[in-house]
Amino acid sequence: MRPEAEGGNVLVDSPRFASQLVKKISAMGGVRKMCLSHQDDVADHVRFADKFACQRIMHAADGARKLGIEWLIEGEERNPESIVVNLLAIPTPGHTRGHVVLLYRNQFFVYR
């Protein structure tokens, strides 16, 4: 996801740190922020954060403090938090206590 007004990419959830993927992400401008939608999809978040010096975002109810996440979301259900221009993280507990969905302009991104 590339929020143009912010000048950087947002990586949603953390895939495995595979060299070909990292090269492609680097070629696209790297990662400015990483939004972790829930505790099940954190994989190699530390390696991505180290490589791209990106800020990680996650809801506190999913153990974000223990993971060393820099930006904690602590709102109630359906209390959106602006990540960058036109991108909101909306807490939607259910799948996990701290699950969030993303709303980019008028499109929802839901991860399970």
Side-chain angles (χ1 to χ4, degrees), residues 43-98:
D44 289 330
H45 72 96
V46 173
R47 292 182 74 187
F48 278 98
D50 289 346
K51 169 71 177 170
F52 295 108
C54 62
Q55 182 180 37
R56 295 166 294 169
I57 305 158
M58 186 177 182
H59 200 288
D62 264 12
R65 283 186 181 86
K66 286 191 262 183
L67 295 173
I69 303 301
E70 296 83 15
W71 179 343
L72 301 177
I73 297 171
E74 299 190 69
E76 295 292 320
E77 185 173 353
R78 292 181 292 280
N79 184 19
E81 183 152 344
S82 180
I83 303 301
V84 293
V85 173
N86 294 318
L87 179 64
L88 297 175
I90 304 168
T92 54
H95 178 63
T96 64
R97 289 179 49 220

Short mmCIF file of all heavy atoms in Angstrom, two decimals, residues 43-98:
data_model
loop_
_atom_site.label_atom_id
_atom_site.label_comp_id
_atom_site.label_asym_id
_atom_site.label_seq_id
_atom_site.Cartn_x
_atom_site.Cartn_y
_atom_site.Cartn_z
N ALA A 43 5.13 -12.78 12.03
CA ALA A 43 6.28 -13.47 11.42
C ALA A 43 7.63 -12.82 11.72
O ALA A 43 8.09 -12.83 12.85
CB ALA A 43 6.06 -13.65 9.93
N ASP A 44 8.24 -12.22 10.71
CA ASP A 44 9.58 -11.63 10.84
C ASP A 44 9.54 -10.12 10.97
O ASP A 44 10.36 -9.40 10.39
CB ASP A 44 10.43 -12.03 9.63
CG ASP A 44 10.81 -13.51 9.65
OD1 ASP A 44 10.95 -14.08 10.74
OD2 ASP A 44 10.98 -14.09 8.56
N HIS A 45 8.59 -9.60 11.74
CA HIS A 45 8.43 -8.15 11.87
C HIS A 45 9.70 -7.46 12.35
O HIS A 45 10.02 -6.36 11.91
CB HIS A 45 7.23 -7.80 12.77
CG HIS A 45 7.45 -8.07 14.21
ND1 HIS A 45 7.86 -7.11 15.09
CD2 HIS A 45 7.30 -9.22 14.93
CE1 HIS A 45 7.97 -7.64 16.30
NE2 HIS A 45 7.62 -8.92 16.22
N VAL A 46 10.47 -8.09 13.21
CA VAL A 46 11.70 -7.47 13.72
C VAL A 46 12.71 -7.31 12.59
O VAL A 46 13.35 -6.25 12.47
CB VAL A 46 12.29 -8.30 14.88
CG1 VAL A 46 13.65 -7.76 15.30
CG2 VAL A 46 11.33 -8.31 16.07
N ARG A 47 12.85 -8.31 11.77
CA ARG A 47 13.81 -8.24 10.66
C ARG A 47 13.42 -7.15 9.66
O ARG A 47 14.28 -6.41 9.17
CB ARG A 47 13.94 -9.59 9.97
CG ARG A 47 14.61 -10.62 10.88
CD ARG A 47 14.80 -11.94 10.20
NE ARG A 47 15.88 -11.84 9.22
CZ ARG A 47 16.18 -12.82 8.37
NH1 ARG A 47 15.48 -13.94 8.37
NH2 ARG A 47 17.16 -12.67 7.51
N PHE A 48 12.12 -7.04 9.36
CA PHE A 48 11.67 -5.98 8.46
C PHE A 48 11.89 -4.60 9.08
O PHE A 48 12.32 -3.67 8.41
CB PHE A 48 10.20 -6.16 8.07
CG PHE A 48 9.99 -7.15 6.97
CD1 PHE A 48 9.63 -8.46 7.25
CD2 PHE A 48 10.15 -6.78 5.64
CE1 PHE A 48 9.44 -9.38 6.23
CE2 PHE A 48 9.96 -7.69 4.60
CZ PHE A 48 9.62 -9.00 4.91
N ALA A 49 11.59 -4.48 10.37
CA ALA A 49 11.78 -3.20 11.06
C ALA A 49 13.25 -2.81 11.06
O ALA A 49 13.59 -1.64 10.84
CB ALA A 49 11.24 -3.29 12.48
N ASP A 50 14.13 -3.77 11.30
CA ASP A 50 15.57 -3.48 11.28
C ASP A 50 16.05 -3.10 9.88
O ASP A 50 16.79 -2.14 9.72
CB ASP A 50 16.36 -4.70 11.77
CG ASP A 50 16.20 -4.95 13.26
OD1 ASP A 50 15.70 -4.05 13.98
OD2 ASP A 50 16.57 -6.06 13.71
N LYS A 51 15.61 -3.84 8.87
CA LYS A 51 16.05 -3.59 7.50
C LYS A 51 15.60 -2.23 6.97
O LYS A 51 16.36 -1.48 6.37
CB LYS A 51 15.51 -4.70 6.57
CG LYS A 51 15.65 -4.44 5.09
CD LYS A 51 17.07 -4.53 4.62
CE LYS A 51 17.13 -4.34 3.10
NZ LYS A 51 18.49 -4.19 2.64
N PHE A 52 14.33 -1.89 7.21
CA PHE A 52 13.76 -0.68 6.63
C PHE A 52 13.61 0.48 7.61
O PHE A 52 13.13 1.54 7.24
CB PHE A 52 12.40 -1.00 5.98
CG PHE A 52 12.52 -1.93 4.82
CD1 PHE A 52 12.08 -3.25 4.91
CD2 PHE A 52 13.07 -1.50 3.62
CE1 PHE A 52 12.19 -4.12 3.83
CE2 PHE A 52 13.19 -2.36 2.53
CZ PHE A 52 12.75 -3.67 2.64
N ALA A 53 13.99 0.27 8.87
CA ALA A 53 13.83 1.29 9.91
C ALA A 53 12.40 1.83 9.92
O ALA A 53 12.16 3.04 10.02
CB ALA A 53 14.84 2.42 9.71
N CYS A 54 11.45 0.91 9.80
CA CYS A 54 10.04 1.31 9.76
C CYS A 54 9.43 1.26 11.16
O CYS A 54 9.88 0.52 12.03
CB CYS A 54 9.25 0.43 8.80
SG CYS A 54 9.19 -1.31 9.23
N GLN A 55 8.41 2.05 11.33
CA GLN A 55 7.65 2.09 12.58
C GLN A 55 6.57 1.01 12.52
O GLN A 55 5.81 0.93 11.55
CB GLN A 55 7.01 3.47 12.74
CG GLN A 55 6.25 3.65 14.00
CD GLN A 55 5.65 5.03 14.10
OE1 GLN A 55 5.20 5.60 13.11
NE2 GLN A 55 5.65 5.59 15.29
N ARG A 56 6.50 0.19 13.57
CA ARG A 56 5.49 -0.87 13.63
C ARG A 56 4.29 -0.40 14.44
O ARG A 56 4.44 0.28 15.45
CB ARG A 56 6.08 -2.13 14.26
CG ARG A 56 7.19 -2.73 13.40
CD ARG A 56 8.00 -3.74 14.14
NE ARG A 56 8.71 -3.05 15.21
CZ ARG A 56 9.36 -3.68 16.18
NH1 ARG A 56 9.38 -4.98 16.27
NH2 ARG A 56 10.00 -2.98 17.10
N ILE A 57 3.10 -0.81 13.99
CA ILE A 57 1.83 -0.38 14.59
C ILE A 57 1.01 -1.62 14.88
O ILE A 57 0.87 -2.48 14.01
CB ILE A 57 1.06 0.54 13.62
CG1 ILE A 57 1.94 1.72 13.19
CG2 ILE A 57 -0.26 0.99 14.23
CD1 ILE A 57 1.51 2.37 11.90
N MET A 58 0.46 -1.70 16.10
CA MET A 58 -0.35 -2.87 16.46
C MET A 58 -1.20 -2.52 17.68
O MET A 58 -0.82 -1.69 18.49
CB MET A 58 0.56 -4.06 16.77
CG MET A 58 -0.13 -5.36 17.03
SD MET A 58 1.13 -6.65 17.28
CE MET A 58 0.08 -8.05 17.50
N HIS A 59 -2.32 -3.19 17.81
CA HIS A 59 -3.19 -2.97 18.96
C HIS A 59 -2.56 -3.57 20.22
O HIS A 59 -2.05 -4.69 20.19
CB HIS A 59 -4.58 -3.57 18.72
CG HIS A 59 -5.63 -2.98 19.59
ND1 HIS A 59 -5.71 -3.26 20.94
CD2 HIS A 59 -6.63 -2.11 19.34
CE1 HIS A 59 -6.72 -2.60 21.47
NE2 HIS A 59 -7.29 -1.88 20.51
N ALA A 60 -2.62 -2.84 21.30
CA ALA A 60 -2.02 -3.28 22.56
C ALA A 60 -2.63 -4.59 23.07
O ALA A 60 -1.94 -5.39 23.70
CB ALA A 60 -2.18 -2.18 23.62
N ALA A 61 -3.90 -4.83 22.78
CA ALA A 61 -4.58 -6.02 23.30
C ALA A 61 -4.06 -7.32 22.69
O ALA A 61 -4.39 -8.39 23.18
CB ALA A 61 -6.09 -5.90 23.06
N ASP A 62 -3.23 -7.23 21.67
CA ASP A 62 -2.66 -8.43 21.05
C ASP A 62 -1.19 -8.63 21.43
O ASP A 62 -0.45 -9.29 20.71
CB ASP A 62 -2.82 -8.38 19.53
CG ASP A 62 -4.06 -9.13 19.06
OD1 ASP A 62 -4.89 -9.49 19.89
OD2 ASP A 62 -4.18 -9.35 17.85
N GLY A 63 -0.77 -8.07 22.53
CA GLY A 63 0.59 -8.28 23.02
C GLY A 63 1.64 -7.41 22.37
O GLY A 63 2.82 -7.74 22.36
N ALA A 64 1.25 -6.26 21.86
CA ALA A 64 2.17 -5.38 21.15
C ALA A 64 3.32 -4.89 22.04
O ALA A 64 4.45 -4.76 21.56
CB ALA A 64 1.42 -4.18 20.58
N ARG A 65 3.07 -4.66 23.30
CA ARG A 65 4.14 -4.20 24.20
C ARG A 65 5.25 -5.25 24.32
O ARG A 65 6.43 -4.92 24.28
CB ARG A 65 3.57 -3.87 25.57
CG ARG A 65 2.85 -2.56 25.63
CD ARG A 65 2.41 -2.20 27.06
NE ARG A 65 1.71 -0.94 27.06
CZ ARG A 65 0.41 -0.81 26.82
NH1 ARG A 65 -0.34 -1.87 26.57
NH2 ARG A 65 -0.16 0.37 26.82
N LYS A 66 4.86 -6.49 24.47
CA LYS A 66 5.86 -7.57 24.59
C LYS A 66 6.69 -7.73 23.32
O LYS A 66 7.83 -8.17 23.37
CB LYS A 66 5.18 -8.90 24.91
CG LYS A 66 4.69 -9.00 26.33
CD LYS A 66 4.28 -10.42 26.65
CE LYS A 66 2.79 -10.53 26.49
NZ LYS A 66 2.26 -11.85 26.84
N LEU A 67 6.10 -7.37 22.18
CA LEU A 67 6.80 -7.48 20.91
C LEU A 67 7.68 -6.27 20.61
O LEU A 67 8.40 -6.25 19.62
CB LEU A 67 5.79 -7.66 19.77
CG LEU A 67 4.97 -8.94 19.79
CD1 LEU A 67 3.90 -8.91 18.70
CD2 LEU A 67 5.87 -10.15 19.62
N GLY A 68 7.61 -5.24 21.45
CA GLY A 68 8.41 -4.03 21.24
C GLY A 68 7.88 -3.11 20.17
O GLY A 68 8.63 -2.34 19.57
N ILE A 69 6.58 -3.17 19.93
CA ILE A 69 5.96 -2.35 18.89
C ILE A 69 6.03 -0.87 19.29
O ILE A 69 5.73 -0.51 20.42
CB ILE A 69 4.49 -2.79 18.66
CG1 ILE A 69 4.42 -4.27 18.30
CG2 ILE A 69 3.81 -1.91 17.63
CD1 ILE A 69 5.17 -4.68 17.07
N GLU A 70 6.39 -0.02 18.34
CA GLU A 70 6.58 1.41 18.62
C GLU A 70 5.27 2.19 18.77
O GLU A 70 5.20 3.13 19.56
CB GLU A 70 7.40 2.07 17.50
CG GLU A 70 8.82 1.55 17.36
CD GLU A 70 8.94 0.26 16.56
OE1 GLU A 70 8.00 -0.12 15.84
OE2 GLU A 70 10.02 -0.37 16.65
N TRP A 71 4.25 1.86 18.00
CA TRP A 71 3.00 2.62 18.01
C TRP A 71 1.89 1.68 18.44
O TRP A 71 1.53 0.76 17.72
CB TRP A 71 2.74 3.16 16.62
CG TRP A 71 1.49 3.96 16.41
CD1 TRP A 71 0.38 4.02 17.21
CD2 TRP A 71 1.21 4.80 15.29
NE1 TRP A 71 -0.57 4.84 16.65
CE2 TRP A 71 -0.08 5.34 15.48
CE3 TRP A 71 1.93 5.14 14.15
CZ2 TRP A 71 -0.65 6.20 14.55
CZ3 TRP A 71 1.35 6.00 13.25
CH2 TRP A 71 0.07 6.53 13.45
N LEU A 72 1.35 1.93 19.61
CA LEU A 72 0.29 1.09 20.16
C LEU A 72 -1.08 1.71 19.90
O LEU A 72 -1.30 2.88 20.21
CB LEU A 72 0.46 0.89 21.66
CG LEU A 72 1.78 0.26 22.11
CD1 LEU A 72 1.83 0.18 23.62
CD2 LEU A 72 1.95 -1.11 21.50
N ILE A 73 -1.97 0.91 19.36
CA ILE A 73 -3.37 1.32 19.23
C ILE A 73 -4.07 0.81 20.48
O ILE A 73 -3.92 -0.35 20.84
CB ILE A 73 -4.01 0.71 17.96
CG1 ILE A 73 -3.30 1.23 16.71
CG2 ILE A 73 -5.52 1.01 17.92
CD1 ILE A 73 -3.72 0.54 15.43
N GLU A 74 -4.81 1.67 21.14
CA GLU A 74 -5.46 1.26 22.38
C GLU A 74 -6.93 1.61 22.43
O GLU A 74 -7.52 1.61 23.48
CB GLU A 74 -4.73 1.88 23.58
CG GLU A 74 -3.28 1.45 23.65
CD GLU A 74 -2.60 1.83 24.92
OE1 GLU A 74 -2.97 1.24 25.96
OE2 GLU A 74 -1.71 2.70 24.88
N GLY A 75 -7.52 1.88 21.29
CA GLY A 75 -8.91 2.30 21.25
C GLY A 75 -9.90 1.17 21.41
O GLY A 75 -9.56 -0.01 21.38
N GLU A 76 -11.13 1.56 21.58
CA GLU A 76 -12.24 0.62 21.67
C GLU A 76 -12.69 0.20 20.28
O GLU A 76 -12.28 0.79 19.28
CB GLU A 76 -13.42 1.28 22.40
CG GLU A 76 -13.15 1.62 23.85
CD GLU A 76 -13.00 0.39 24.72
OE1 GLU A 76 -13.75 -0.58 24.52
OE2 GLU A 76 -12.10 0.39 25.58
N GLU A 77 -13.56 -0.77 20.25
CA GLU A 77 -14.11 -1.25 18.98
C GLU A 77 -14.69 -0.09 18.17
O GLU A 77 -15.37 0.78 18.70
CB GLU A 77 -15.20 -2.29 19.26
CG GLU A 77 -15.74 -2.94 18.03
CD GLU A 77 -16.70 -4.07 18.36
OE1 GLU A 77 -16.82 -4.43 19.54
OE2 GLU A 77 -17.34 -4.56 17.44
N ARG A 78 -14.38 -0.09 16.88
CA ARG A 78 -14.85 0.91 15.92
C ARG A 78 -14.39 2.33 16.25
O ARG A 78 -15.04 3.30 15.90
CB ARG A 78 -16.37 0.83 15.75
CG ARG A 78 -16.80 -0.45 15.06
CD ARG A 78 -18.29 -0.53 14.85
NE ARG A 78 -19.05 -0.66 16.07
CZ ARG A 78 -19.24 -1.79 16.76
NH1 ARG A 78 -18.69 -2.88 16.35
NH2 ARG A 78 -19.97 -1.80 17.84
N ASN A 79 -13.27 2.46 16.94
CA ASN A 79 -12.67 3.76 17.22
C ASN A 79 -11.44 3.90 16.32
O ASN A 79 -10.35 3.47 16.69
CB ASN A 79 -12.30 3.87 18.69
CG ASN A 79 -11.77 5.23 19.05
OD1 ASN A 79 -11.98 6.20 18.33
ND2 ASN A 79 -11.06 5.31 20.15
N PRO A 80 -11.58 4.46 15.11
CA PRO A 80 -10.48 4.46 14.15
C PRO A 80 -9.30 5.32 14.57
O PRO A 80 -9.44 6.31 15.27
CB PRO A 80 -11.12 5.01 12.88
CG PRO A 80 -12.30 5.77 13.33
CD PRO A 80 -12.77 5.13 14.61
N GLU A 81 -8.13 4.90 14.12
CA GLU A 81 -6.90 5.66 14.36
C GLU A 81 -6.23 5.90 13.01
O GLU A 81 -6.03 4.96 12.24
CB GLU A 81 -5.98 4.87 15.29
CG GLU A 81 -4.74 5.64 15.63
CD GLU A 81 -4.16 5.27 16.98
OE1 GLU A 81 -4.84 4.64 17.80
OE2 GLU A 81 -3.00 5.62 17.19
N SER A 82 -5.88 7.15 12.75
CA SER A 82 -5.25 7.50 11.48
C SER A 82 -3.79 7.06 11.48
O SER A 82 -3.02 7.44 12.35
CB SER A 82 -5.35 9.00 11.25
OG SER A 82 -4.75 9.34 10.03
N ILE A 83 -3.42 6.25 10.50
CA ILE A 83 -2.05 5.76 10.36
C ILE A 83 -1.26 6.72 9.47
O ILE A 83 -0.16 7.14 9.82
CB ILE A 83 -2.04 4.33 9.76
CG1 ILE A 83 -2.85 3.37 10.62
CG2 ILE A 83 -0.62 3.84 9.57
CD1 ILE A 83 -2.40 3.23 12.05
N VAL A 84 -1.78 7.03 8.33
CA VAL A 84 -1.25 8.04 7.41
C VAL A 84 -2.47 8.64 6.71
O VAL A 84 -3.60 8.21 6.94
CB VAL A 84 -0.26 7.45 6.36
CG1 VAL A 84 1.01 6.96 7.01
CG2 VAL A 84 -0.90 6.36 5.54
N VAL A 85 -2.24 9.61 5.85
CA VAL A 85 -3.34 10.23 5.12
C VAL A 85 -4.15 9.15 4.39
O VAL A 85 -3.59 8.29 3.72
CB VAL A 85 -2.80 11.27 4.11
CG1 VAL A 85 -3.92 11.80 3.23
CG2 VAL A 85 -2.11 12.40 4.84
N ASN A 86 -5.46 9.17 4.59
CA ASN A 86 -6.40 8.25 3.93
C ASN A 86 -6.31 6.80 4.39
O ASN A 86 -6.86 5.93 3.74
CB ASN A 86 -6.25 8.30 2.40
CG ASN A 86 -6.65 9.63 1.83
OD1 ASN A 86 -7.64 10.21 2.25
ND2 ASN A 86 -5.89 10.13 0.89
N LEU A 87 -5.58 6.51 5.47
CA LEU A 87 -5.48 5.14 5.96
C LEU A 87 -5.81 5.10 7.45
O LEU A 87 -5.12 5.71 8.26
CB LEU A 87 -4.09 4.57 5.72
CG LEU A 87 -3.85 3.14 6.20
CD1 LEU A 87 -4.73 2.15 5.42
CD2 LEU A 87 -2.38 2.76 6.05
N LEU A 88 -6.89 4.37 7.76
CA LEU A 88 -7.31 4.23 9.15
C LEU A 88 -7.18 2.79 9.61
O LEU A 88 -7.45 1.86 8.84
CB LEU A 88 -8.80 4.63 9.32
CG LEU A 88 -9.19 6.05 9.00
CD1 LEU A 88 -10.71 6.21 9.11
CD2 LEU A 88 -8.49 7.03 9.95
N ALA A 89 -6.77 2.61 10.86
CA ALA A 89 -6.81 1.29 11.51
C ALA A 89 -8.02 1.32 12.43
O ALA A 89 -8.16 2.22 13.26
CB ALA A 89 -5.53 1.04 12.30
N ILE A 90 -8.89 0.33 12.27
CA ILE A 90 -10.14 0.29 13.04
C ILE A 90 -10.15 -0.98 13.88
O ILE A 90 -10.16 -2.09 13.33
CB ILE A 90 -11.36 0.33 12.12
CG1 ILE A 90 -11.29 1.56 11.21
CG2 ILE A 90 -12.66 0.31 12.94
CD1 ILE A 90 -12.30 1.55 10.08
N PRO A 91 -10.12 -0.85 15.21
CA PRO A 91 -10.19 -2.05 16.06
C PRO A 91 -11.49 -2.82 15.83
O PRO A 91 -12.57 -2.24 15.81
CB PRO A 91 -10.14 -1.48 17.48
CG PRO A 91 -9.47 -0.15 17.34
CD PRO A 91 -9.95 0.37 16.01
N THR A 92 -11.34 -4.11 15.61
CA THR A 92 -12.49 -4.99 15.41
C THR A 92 -12.24 -6.30 16.16
O THR A 92 -11.97 -7.33 15.55
CB THR A 92 -12.72 -5.29 13.90
OG1 THR A 92 -11.50 -5.78 13.35
CG2 THR A 92 -13.17 -4.05 13.16
N PRO A 93 -12.28 -6.25 17.49
CA PRO A 93 -12.01 -7.47 18.26
C PRO A 93 -12.98 -8.58 17.86
O PRO A 93 -14.12 -8.32 17.50
CB PRO A 93 -12.20 -7.04 19.70
CG PRO A 93 -12.95 -5.76 19.65
CD PRO A 93 -12.70 -5.14 18.32
N GLY A 94 -12.49 -9.78 17.92
CA GLY A 94 -13.30 -10.93 17.53
C GLY A 94 -12.39 -12.06 17.13
O GLY A 94 -12.26 -13.06 17.81
N HIS A 95 -11.68 -11.88 16.02
CA HIS A 95 -10.70 -12.88 15.59
C HIS A 95 -9.62 -13.01 16.67
O HIS A 95 -9.24 -14.11 17.05
CB HIS A 95 -10.09 -12.49 14.26
CG HIS A 95 -9.04 -13.44 13.75
ND1 HIS A 95 -9.33 -14.76 13.45
CD2 HIS A 95 -7.73 -13.27 13.53
CE1 HIS A 95 -8.21 -15.35 13.06
NE2 HIS A 95 -7.24 -14.47 13.09
N THR A 96 -9.13 -11.87 17.15
CA THR A 96 -8.27 -11.78 18.33
C THR A 96 -8.75 -10.55 19.10
O THR A 96 -9.49 -9.73 18.58
CB THR A 96 -6.78 -11.62 17.97
OG1 THR A 96 -6.60 -10.39 17.28
CG2 THR A 96 -6.27 -12.79 17.13
N ARG A 97 -8.29 -10.41 20.33
CA ARG A 97 -8.73 -9.26 21.15
C ARG A 97 -8.32 -7.92 20.55
O ARG A 97 -9.00 -6.92 20.69
CB ARG A 97 -8.16 -9.39 22.56
CG ARG A 97 -8.83 -10.49 23.35
CD ARG A 97 -8.27 -10.65 24.76
NE ARG A 97 -8.21 -9.37 25.45
CZ ARG A 97 -7.19 -9.02 26.25
NH1 ARG A 97 -6.18 -9.83 26.45
NH2 ARG A 97 -7.20 -7.85 26.86
N GLY A 98 -7.18 -7.90 19.84
CA GLY A 98 -6.68 -6.64 19.28
C GLY A 98 -6.73 -6.58 17.77
O GLY A 98 -6.02 -5.77 17.18
#
